[in-house]
């Protein structure tokens, strides 16, 4: 997500902000801009460039805007779910963009429908708009806070009206969200890499349980809920975020490199010939692993820059095809050698198996797989598209079985302790992480929801 308040080219800057975060979702994109009198929206399925290639920014002026890039899950990849959503009432209009997952969205939706609400999408984002409407005829700070208090889960919201921009983060801070300045304008983004692209300065992270109200009068902060400690999603460090982004005062590239170092301490392979990383998110860890083991790092696998992320493709068939098109081995680097292949994670095993095959077809004598994150054995409740244990290879197989399934010569994973050592700067500074997909310890899950969760997943 990206938002800006107080700049005459708000829509254009939002476009560049979204473009810098295209890695977070390739299934849809949208921008809502306001000139102070009305909200204008443009959105569609596809990449940012495709959605806005015929969009005339000059015809859609405004001083504030919010934008969103969409990662569709297996069952909701439809146009109606492309954000931001815009809601019109007699008292004004409201646009909402959301990153995360509302755990109790189904029960809220059921209650809303039973009391007369008609929802237009299958997205849990829409429930916030209906809750706000029930709490007040207008979009106000009080109505937003009362609505947010009813939500359980992980969320980062941008809410735009004709005269204000509201920014909210869940009480555990599971999703990333940062505040910056571009001249006199305020900017908000899921990742700080967006600030670098537009020339903005990083001010601070939005705090867990904080609501920011930004208007022509300035910026106001309200802490509506607080839960200790913070639980920023560990997969942001492992996979999702760009290496030039900073999360919790820790640079992502640096954290990934340290994960590679810790992995090498736990599971070294000193007799290998070369270390290679799976582009792009594994390269930092591969460099750290190679340095710690005293082995050469080489580009043994190349990536087609025009193919999107296979992990977030909405179907297994598309993931399989995407891996074949996306990656290719460098024969001159791996032929006749014992290769340590560093990957950031294994979710379903599709990518790892294909890359091992590619390396061996290119002449690699051995392929030893090292994963720079712990085993993913549990579904994610908070917005990552891995919802059932049956699709998680580590939830159903031992390391030895995984090794055989992906056709590797060996496989080892980083421990949870090693990961936390690499990515948590200082636990006393409220910099904890959510590693529920690895540990099964869900920071946001009430007792009744826990029972429903285990029954369902």
């Amino acid at each position: 997500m990206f938002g800006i308040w107080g700049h005459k080219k708000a829509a254009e800057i939002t476009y560049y902000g979204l473009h810098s975060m295209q890695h977070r979702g390739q299934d849809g994109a949208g921008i809502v801009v306001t000139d102070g009198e009305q909200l204008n929206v443009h959105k569609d399925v596809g990449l940012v460039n495709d959605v806005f290639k015929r969009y005339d920014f000059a015809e859609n002026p405004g001083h504030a805007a919010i934008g969103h890039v969409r990662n569709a899950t297996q069952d909701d990849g439809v146009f109606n779910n492309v954000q931001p959503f815009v809601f019109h009432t007699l008292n004004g209009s409201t646009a909402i963009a959301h990153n995360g997952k509302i755990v109790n969205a189904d029960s809220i939706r059921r209650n809303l429908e039973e009391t007369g609400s008609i929802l237009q999408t299958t997205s849990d984002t829409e429930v916030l708009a209906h809750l706000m409407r029930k709490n007040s005829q207008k979009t106000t700070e009080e109505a937003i806070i009362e609505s947010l208090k009813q939500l359980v889960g992980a969320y980062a919201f941008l809410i735009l009206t004709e005269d204000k921009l509201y920014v909210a983060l869940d009480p555990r801070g599971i999703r990333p969200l940062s505040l910056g300045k571009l001249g006199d304008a305020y900017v908000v983004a899921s990742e700080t890499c967006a600030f670098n692209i537009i020339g903005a300065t990083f001010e601070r992270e939005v705090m867990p349980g904080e609501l920011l109200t930004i208007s022509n009068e300035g910026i106001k902060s309200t802490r509506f809920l607080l839960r200790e400690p913070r639980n920023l999603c560990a997969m942001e460090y492992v996979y999702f975020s760009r290496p030039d982004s900073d999360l919790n005062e820790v640079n992502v590239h640096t954290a990934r490199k340290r994960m590679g170092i810790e992995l090498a301490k736990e599971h070294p392979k000193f007799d290998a010939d070369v270390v290679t990383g799976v582009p792009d998110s594994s390269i930092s860890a591969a460099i750290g692993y190679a340095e710690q083991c005293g082995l050469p790092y080489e580009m043994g696998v190349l990536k087609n820059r025009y193919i999107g992320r296979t992990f977030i493709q909405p179907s297994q068939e598309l993931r399989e095809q995407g891996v074949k098109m996306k990656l290719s081995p460098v024969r001159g680097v791996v032929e006749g050698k014992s290769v340590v292949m560093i990957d950031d994670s294994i979710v379903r095993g599709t990518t790892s198996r294909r890359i091992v095959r590619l390396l061996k077809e290119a002449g690699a004598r051995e392929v030893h797989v090292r994963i720079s994150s712990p085993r993913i054995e549990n579904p994610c409740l908070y917005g990552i598209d891995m919802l059932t244990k049956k699709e998680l290879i580590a939830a159903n197989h031992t390391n030895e079985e995984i090794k055989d399934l992906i056709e590797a010569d060996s496989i080892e994973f980083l421990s949870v302790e090693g990961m936390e050592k690499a990515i948590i700067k200082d636990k006393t500074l409220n910099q904890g992480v959510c590693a529920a997909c690895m540990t099964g310890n869900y920071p946001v899950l009430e007792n009744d929801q826990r029972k429903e969760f285990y029954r369902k997943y």
Side-chain angles (χ1 to χ4, degrees), residues 51-98:
V51 172
F52 291 96
K53 62 184 176 183
R54 294 187 178 87
Y55 181 76
D56 191 339
F57 290 96
E59 292 185 358
N60 294 274
H63 66 280
I66 62 174
H68 187 273
V69 289
R70 177 165 177 73
N71 166 29
T73 56
Q74 296 184 34
D75 59 353
D76 69 352
V78 296
F79 172 78
N80 285 347
N81 288 330
V82 177
Q83 299 184 37
F85 298 143
V86 179
F87 305 92
H88 301 287
T89 71
L90 295 175
N91 297 305
S93 300
T94 302
I96 300 178
H98 170 221

Side-chain angles (χ1 to χ4, degrees), residues 191-447:
E191 290 189 37
T192 58
C193 64
F195 298 159
N196 301 332
I197 295 296
I198 64 172
T201 57
F202 169 78
E203 294 293 307
R204 66 176 179 87
E205 294 196 347
V206 179
M207 302 302 295
E210 182 178 27
L211 176 69
L212 298 177
T213 303
I214 305 173
S215 67
N216 291 336
E217 299 175 358
I219 186 169
K220 174 187 175 183
S221 170
T222 304
R223 297 296 288 273
F224 62 91
L225 279 175
L226 181 61
R227 298 285 186 268
E228 297 285 357
R230 183 174 190 182
N231 297 109
L232 179 63
C233 175
M235 288 297 287
E236 292 287 347
Y237 292 100
V238 171
Y239 177 80
F240 272 105
S241 294
R242 264 178 44 163
D244 54 338
S245 288
D246 295 329
L247 305 173
N248 253 352
E249 302 180 15
V250 175
N251 173 254
V252 172
H253 161 73
T254 302
R256 288 175 182 165
K257 185 176 180 181
R258 287 201 294 255
M259 282 188 266
I261 292 172
E262 294 301 319
L263 178 62
K265 291 177 181 178
E266 295 178 3
H267 304 290
K269 186 64 180 171
F270 296 116
D271 58 347
D273 298 311
V274 66
V275 176
T276 190
V278 179
D280 287 317
S281 49
S282 306
I283 291 176
S284 301
I287 293 172
Y289 188 96
E291 288 183 3
Q292 182 66 27
C293 286
L295 297 171
Y297 166 78
E298 297 285 355
M299 291 180 59
V301 181
L302 294 182
K303 178 182 177 182
N304 184 335
R305 299 292 176 181
Y306 301 96
I307 302 296
R309 286 187 155 183
T310 55
F311 167 67
I312 56 178
Q313 291 292 337
S315 73
Q316 181 67 17
E317 182 181 357
L318 288 178
R319 278 190 292 270
E320 292 276 3
Q321 185 62 32
V323 173
K324 294 177 183 178
M325 297 173 62
K326 185 173 81 168
L327 300 169
S328 58
V330 181
R331 180 176 292 273
V333 170
V334 304
E335 188 172 19
K337 295 179 181 177
S338 174
V339 179
V340 177
M341 185 193 89
I342 306 295
D343 207 351
D344 54 67
S345 58
I346 291 186
V347 179
R348 301 170 181 91
T350 303
T351 301
S352 297
R353 181 174 61 250
R354 181 58 184 168
I355 300 171
V356 170
R357 286 179 179 176
L358 288 173
L359 290 171
K360 289 192 172 182
E361 288 169 1
R365 188 176 75 255
E366 299 174 337
V367 178
H368 299 275
V369 176
R370 297 293 182 267
I371 306 299
S372 58
S373 67
R375 289 165 54 96
I376 296 176
E377 301 180 347
N378 305 280
C380 177
L381 289 184
Y382 308 130
I384 298 177
D385 187 21
M386 43 190 192
L387 284 176
T388 62
K389 278 200 171 189
K390 66 180 181 181
E391 66 181 317
L392 305 177
I393 191 171
N396 301 283
H397 300 282
T398 65
N399 281 11
E400 187 69 19
E401 291 170 337
I402 295 174
K403 180 204 76 171
D404 293 338
L405 286 169
I406 67 172
E407 303 172 13
D409 291 277
S410 70
I411 185 170
E412 299 290 351
F413 293 79
L414 179 65
S415 67
V416 173
E417 295 75 18
M419 179 188 70
E420 291 183 345
K421 183 178 179 181
I423 66 180
I424 298 177
K425 180 180 179 182
D426 187 346
K427 287 187 177 182
T428 64
L429 295 178
N430 197 25
Q431 293 184 325
V433 296
C434 172
C437 59
M438 306 157 187
T439 65
N441 181 23
Y442 293 89
V444 183
L445 198 62
E446 306 298 336
N447 288 335

Side-chain angles (χ1 to χ4, degrees), residues 137-157:
Q137 293 297 307
K138 293 184 177 181
T139 300
T140 64
E141 181 179 318
E142 293 75 17
I144 294 172
I145 289 175
E146 288 304 310
S147 301
L148 293 174
K149 287 181 178 179
Q150 299 179 57
L151 305 182
V152 176
Y155 56 79
F157 281 109

Side-chain angles (χ1 to χ4, degrees), residues 158-174:
L158 297 182
I159 304 169
L160 181 66
T161 67
E162 290 89 350
D163 59 353
K164 288 183 176 66
L165 171 61
Y166 300 95
V167 181
L169 187 63
D170 71 80
R172 289 286 188 178
I174 296 175

